[in-house]
Amino acid sequence: MQTLTVRHVTQYTYANPVTFQPHRLMLRPRDSHDLRLVGANISLFPHGNIRWMHDVFGNSVAVVDFVEPSDELKIESLLTLERYGLGGLDFEIEESATSYPFVYSPDDRIDLGRMLDPHHPDPQGELEAWAKGFIAARPTDTMALLTDINNSIHKGFSYNLRFEEGTQPPLETLRLGTGSCRDFALLLIETARALGFGARFVTGYLYDPALDGGDSALVGAGATHAWADIYLPGAGWVEFDPTNGTIAADNLIRVAVTRDPSQAVPVAGGFTGLTGDYLGMSVDVSVRCVRPEEPLAA
């Protein structure tokens, strides 16, 4: 078990005071058997009234109504949590699903629903052909197949940290051979769906031991991170991080899971002002391990 602190600051600046529309924040993880939330605090400038809700996926969402105009908007989230490692790849897949292709049970198919269906156009079948290129034989080992796809994105594509809103369509990522963590996650999700797997999008944070003096250096540790969940009977939802080529890694801090990346924006909202008022945005994320002798974040 590791005790981790996460500080996530999003700051917007404007040329003149503007009026803020309601903002939607997805910054709070849910307690689970592998993650325990010890403390959570959101600070706002200017002042805002927060109300909490669960979205259709059960994620915690804060809706903020700001009460006064300002030429600056600052949202700071501080988390303290305990992350429990579950043994990496030490999980059991049902015998009926250890070889691909396999068929989900009727109940699983109903519950997975749209997470089984590709969401992005593939008119020439490029993505489908790319996906089927990983199938060396029928049947083939399920985990070997998914590992090959995950590793192929990790090793064959160039990481590019993008601050633009939105996610690249998977065909664009495939053709460019470059993208951000959310682009790679979506490519893996659509590839898995093209092969009949249930898959969903995960957003959260990544702890890199190198930031605390460790040896490994991971990609995506200085910002919010994104990866994919793929549903395997018996094992459940298994986390695949194509950005770093890892599977079921215990350094991933899950905040929200959704069907599509557009549903998992950490901070979303608008403002009312004049053309040219918006000057820019900055995001700062730090994830640190708390040593036993250190005090927890307030």
Side-chain angles (χ1 to χ4, degrees):
M1 185 269 289
Q2 289 181 315
T3 300
L4 302 171
T5 60
V6 180
R7 180 176 181 267
H8 180 174
V9 181
T10 305
Q11 191 163 3
Y12 301 86
T13 54
Y14 306 88
N16 300 289
V18 300
T19 301
F20 300 106
Q21 300 165 8
H23 277 57
R24 188 174 184 271
L25 313 180
M26 300 182 77
L27 301 169
R28 182 188 178 100
R30 284 183 294 175
D31 280 323
S32 183
H33 58 274
D34 59 352
L35 188 152
R36 176 174 176 262
L37 186 61
V38 177
N41 183 66
I42 294 177
S43 300
L44 304 170
F45 179 84
H47 174 71
N49 297 316
I50 300 178
R51 52 189 172 90
W52 288 93
M53 60 170 281
H54 289 108
D55 68 6
V56 69
F57 305 103
N59 301 306
S60 291
V61 179
V63 180
V64 184
D65 295 310
F66 292 97
V67 298
E68 60 187 64
S70 176
D71 60 359
E72 177 187 357
L73 173 60
K74 183 177 181 181
I75 300 168
E76 180 175 2
S77 169
L78 292 175
L79 302 173
T80 302
L81 47 89
E82 295 173 350
R83 182 67 162 95
Y84 297 83
L86 299 179
L89 300 180
D90 186 21
F91 49 77
E92 293 187 10
I93 302 174
E94 287 182 6
E95 186 176 352
S96 61
T98 56
S99 295
Y100 175 87
F102 64 88
V103 178
Y104 288 112
S105 71
D107 281 346
D108 282 349
R109 291 195 64 81
I110 291 171
D111 294 332
L112 289 169
R114 287 279 286 135
M115 287 182 282
L116 287 165
D117 302 328
H119 288 24
H120 293 262
D122 185 22
Q124 306 302 320
E126 295 175 63
L127 183 62
E128 183 180 4
W130 188 72
K132 290 182 176 178
F134 290 96
I135 304 173
R138 287 179 180 265
T140 191
D141 183 87
T142 298
M143 274 305 300
L145 171 62
L146 294 173
T147 300
D148 285 348
I149 300 171
N150 197 54
N151 287 341
S152 179
I153 298 174
H154 170 58
K155 296 177 181 179
F157 290 72
S158 300
Y159 177 77
N160 178 29
L161 179 61
R162 294 190 302 106
F163 292 102
E164 299 89 347
E165 293 184 2
T167 307
Q168 285 180 177
L171 275 181
E172 184 175 347
T173 303
L174 189 61
R175 292 166 180 168
L176 293 175
T178 184
S180 67
C181 60
R182 61 185 185 272
D183 302 326
F184 293 162
L186 181 58
L187 176 59
L188 177 57
I189 290 167
E190 289 290 277
T191 302
R193 288 171 175 169
L195 295 176
F197 291 97
R200 65 186 184 183
F201 185 82
V202 191
T203 184
Y205 305 103
L206 173 69
Y207 170 62
D208 185 353
L211 299 176
D212 285 320
D215 295 329
S216 65
L218 300 170
V219 176
T224 55
H225 195 54
W227 58 96
D229 267 356
I230 298 176
Y231 188 77
L232 299 175
W237 290 106
V238 179
E239 296 178 313
F240 289 79
D241 180 6
T243 301
N244 291 291
T246 61
I247 301 172
D250 60 9
N251 60 346
L252 297 173
I253 303 169
R254 178 182 58 256
V255 170
V257 295
T258 60
R259 174 177 51 80
D260 186 78
S262 63
Q263 301 166 309
V265 180
V267 177
F271 70 94
T272 302
L274 301 174
T275 302
D277 274 347
Y278 176 71
L279 298 179
M281 175 188 77
S282 64
V283 178
D284 180 54
V285 173
S286 63
V287 183
R288 294 290 186 269
C289 182
V290 179
R291 308 302 176 189
E293 66 276 6
E294 294 177 343
L296 296 177

